[in-house]
Every structure is written in structure tokens, then in C-alpha cells.
Amino acid sequence: AFYHQIVRQGDQLFDLSRGLRHLTGNPIEAYSTTAFDDVVNSSWFTNRNAATPMSAGEIVNGPNAPNGAPSMSGNWVIKRAKTQGVTPGFTIKDNKGDYYLLKFDPLGYNELGTGAEVVGTKLFYAAGYWTPENYIVRFDPSRLVIENEIRFEDEVGNVRVLTPKDIEHILKKVNRYEDGTVRAAASKYVPGKPIGPFKYRGVRDDDPNDVIPHQHRRELRGLKIMAIWLSHNDTKAGNSLDAFITDEDGRQYVRHYLIDFGTTMGGGGLSPTPPYRNRENEFDPHQIAMNTLAAGLYVKDWEVEYDVPYPSIGYFPVDQFHPKFWKPMIPNPAFENMTYRDAYWGIKLVMSFTDEQIDAAVSTGEYTEPGAAEELARRLKARRDILGRLWFERMPPLDRFTLTTFNGVQHLAFKDLGVETGLFNSEPTTYRYRVFQDQKRIRRWEMIGADRRVHLPRPETGSLEDEAEICIELQLQRDGGRWSRKVRIFLVPETDDTYTLLGIQREGK
């Protein structure tokens, strides 16, 4: 925390090249992108819902394998115990031989952390990230047994053997139902050999495949948009895990997981997330200076008393949700390097979730508090739309470009994701395009109809230079406002009648 908050921030302050790039609107763009401004499937990220919409059942399953939940027959053998830190926990082995980390809710806030853990898992997995299998379990504490000597460090720092009395003492910090059962999130150990967390800066020295600095990976830069949506302020290296795996085809490589979602969506270790989280770093010199200058005369909207009507979903606001001012607990190098193009990629992940998919994800939290599940789903949808409007107004959401033939003539067709997702109406939206050949304009601005098709010039002999690349520049305008940033689509003639798409370039910042 000291390094990221103090040392690295000081380095950036005196990095003149970086400062000049930002002042001139020419930041370093992400390295891990394709010609079409997306990312390929990898051990970091797999294109899922935004590429191919998932069914409600697929959302509910998420990363979970059939029969992957802890066995509810037989004992759970404790292999490790955790009494320090914010919340207690156990590592257990069930009678199938599978290992799980049991995580509990803060005392007085039943379902807060466990619900967020499981719902967050479904959403991050559907977006494309690798996550563990996480399950809601409700069990009788008598199921927990100690078979061998388990040494642990108690609350006063003594290392000793775990006893049944210690288990009883740990579980006193945990909520219980009237029948004495306990609710927990069971996080199954990921496949392969764990080799520690990944950092959001640099590369792993022990992984020859890891050649792109993490702060320049779009998968990690664009993760900021998902984090803002789900209030995932604890995006530090410790909440990630790398594992060396061997897949079904015998390939061996390092897979990169996001873990620990219990503090998302209003959850907290001891209580609901306090309002200053997501608005200030844990130690924020800039904000300290601003507060000192204000001398208490300016009261921020989140500094007033706040209410948590649903203890099981905590503080996860909509009215006081200001994405532009969001901050993680500890500065994240990848997030700080996020450009407009990275953000556009990230918002496509968020906006890919339909209302029905969000309802399906929330159902996996198994909330029993009356109205809590419905309220959490409502807030997720509202925050999704707030984020979508913000970024789709900054970056024109013209996407899914395809070449089609209409009335015997080849056209470039595209979608307006702002209209497709229902954020904007199609009627007050207009589009225009112009054409360049080898950077020389050959067609002035022309308007496009609601069908969103660009009539391409015929690549016949004499009309265009042989194999000359052409560029289509697109813009949109909503409600008679300003024309948007440009989206450029590059094509090259394939035959006398057809083109091939080469790539996309989005005007960014």
C-alpha cells in the first residue's frame, strides 16, 4: 500500500513523458489488443457474454462444475484455520477429497459477504475473467472435525495446536440461524498448483508466456469499469491468484484468477462498505490536502449520515453513484493507465448483461431477507445504465461491423450498442460517414439511414487503385448535439466486387 500510494505516485509525478502524453491526449494504449480493438481468449480472459450472450442457466452455473459443491454427507476435515484478519475462516476437505475455503459473513450482517462472493463470481466469470467455483452452503458446525494436528496462530500471536474449543471460539464470531446452522461461502481450490498472486504492474519473472506488462493489458485496464459497476474497491494483488495448470490437451501454462468478491456490491469485512470507500484511497494524500484547504466548509454528499435498509446487501448506492470520481482502496497501476478505448471495451462487458441475466446472477446469492434480492438487482441495473450512458456518450458505441450484400451491392453494416441496449432512442440519432483511400478523401460526409449500412465504392478496375486500402470514418449525433468521436474501419479489396475487413481504430484519449 505504501509503495502504490506514495512511492509510485511520486515517480509518476516526475515522469515528464507520461505527463506530456496525458496533456496531449496521447497516452500509451494497451498492448494486448487485436486489429478490431478487442482481446483474444487467453489464460487472462475469455470472451463470454459480450461475444455470445449466455442463457440464464449458464449465468447461474458460472464456473461451477457438476457436483462441484462440498459434499453434504460425512464430515468436513479442517486442514487450516484462520483467526486473524477481518473475518475468520477454515480450509476444509470433504469426503470427495476436494478442498474448499469457508468464508463467513460479518456478525450482525448475515448473507452480506457470502451473497456478494457468489453473485460477484457469476458476473465476473460471465464477463470473461477466470474465477474459482464459489458456493453458498448452510451446515451444522458439528460437521467440522479435526483429524490430525493443525497448528495455527491464535489472536494473541501464539502458534499452537487447534482444538475443538478453538473452533467453537471462532464460530462465536459467525451468524447462526435458529436451528444452529451456519451459512458460508465455500470457495473451491482452483485446479493446478497455486504460485501466488499476480501484480497489476510488470510481468512474472517465472512465466515465459507473460511478456506484456500488466499495466498495459486491456483485460486489466478495462477491469476498472467492472470494478466501478460492482463497487469492487479492493482490487489489489492479494485478491488475485495464479495457478500452473495442465489442460485437457496437455498444454501447461499459468492461468490468472480473480478471487475474493466478498467486499463487492456493498459488502465489507466487518460491516457494510463505508461511504468513503470507492471515493477515496485508504490513505489519500491528494484528498487530505483538499480537505485541509476546505477547512470543513464543504461537506461531500457521502459524508452525511447514511442508511442501510438491507443489511444483507449493505451500502451499494445508486443516487450517490458517481463513476467519474470512483477510486479503489489502493491505487491500481492498470486502472491508472486506462484509456478511453480500454474503458469502451470494459463498458461493453457491463452493458452486455441484460435485466434477465442480472436477475439470474442475483438469485445465486440465495438471499432470505425480504426484498433484498429484488433491491440488489434493481441497483445493479441502475448502476449499469448510469455507467453505460457515461461512456457511450464519450465513445460512440458503433460496433459489430459486418460486410453484407444488399440489392447486389456490398455494404458495411454496424450496430449502435446505445440503441441496442435501450439506453438511447433510435429516432433522434443520426449517422454520417466519409471515405478515404490511402489517406486521401474520395467521398465527402454522407448521411446514413436507420438501417445503419454504408454503401461501399465498387472496387472495379480503374475506380480504385489495385489493392488500395480504404478507410470509412463514422460518426453519430444524438438529439441534434455534437458529432461524436470518429470510428475508423479499414478494408481492402478482395475481388472486383468484394472487400475484406482489416481492422478498426477508435478515436480516443
Side-chain angles (χ1 to χ4, degrees), residues 26 30 95 110 120 156 230 250 283 371 373 445 449 453 482 501:
N26 187 34
N95 63 5
N110 200 26
V156 295
L230 301 178
F283 173 71
W445 287 115
R453 285 199 297 260
R482 292 183 178 180
L501 283 169

Side-chain angles (χ1 to χ4, degrees), residues 409-412 433 435 443 453-458 472:
V409 179
Q410 194 173 38
H411 289 72
L412 175 70
Y433 78 99
V435 183
R443 187 178 293 179
R453 285 199 297 260
V454 175
H455 181 184
L456 297 176
R458 294 180 65 87
I472 309 293

Side-chain angles (χ1 to χ4, degrees), residues 422-441:
L423 289 181
F424 304 100
N425 295 323
S426 59
E427 292 183 0
T429 303
T430 54
Y431 312 91
R432 68 178 184 179
Y433 78 99
R434 59 182 176 179
V435 183
F436 290 81
Q437 175 194 334
D438 291 339
Q439 301 182 2
K440 185 182 300 183
R441 190 181 66 206

Side-chain angles (χ1 to χ4, degrees), residues 232-249:
H232 188 16
N233 55 70
D234 199 10
T235 51
K236 61 190 177 192
N239 285 335
S240 69
L241 179 64
D242 284 351
F244 183 70
I245 69 169
T246 302
D247 66 14
E248 298 173 350
D249 298 323

Side-chain angles (χ1 to χ4, degrees), residues 75-94:
N75 293 326
W76 291 349
V77 181
I78 295 177
K79 293 296 184 179
R80 190 174 299 167
K82 171 178 172 288
T83 61
Q84 295 181 319
V86 177
T87 55
F90 298 102
T91 295
I92 58 103
K93 179 182 178 183
D94 70 357

Side-chain angles (χ1 to χ4, degrees), residues 360-379:
V362 169
S363 71
T364 64
E366 299 182 20
Y367 295 98
T368 61
E369 185 180 10
E374 293 79 6
E375 180 61 16
L376 176 58
R378 183 193 72 82
R379 296 182 189 183

Side-chain angles (χ1 to χ4, degrees), residues 267-280:
L270 293 173
S271 63
T273 301
Y276 75 86
R277 290 263 168 85
N278 302 291
R279 295 292 293 273
E280 294 183 359

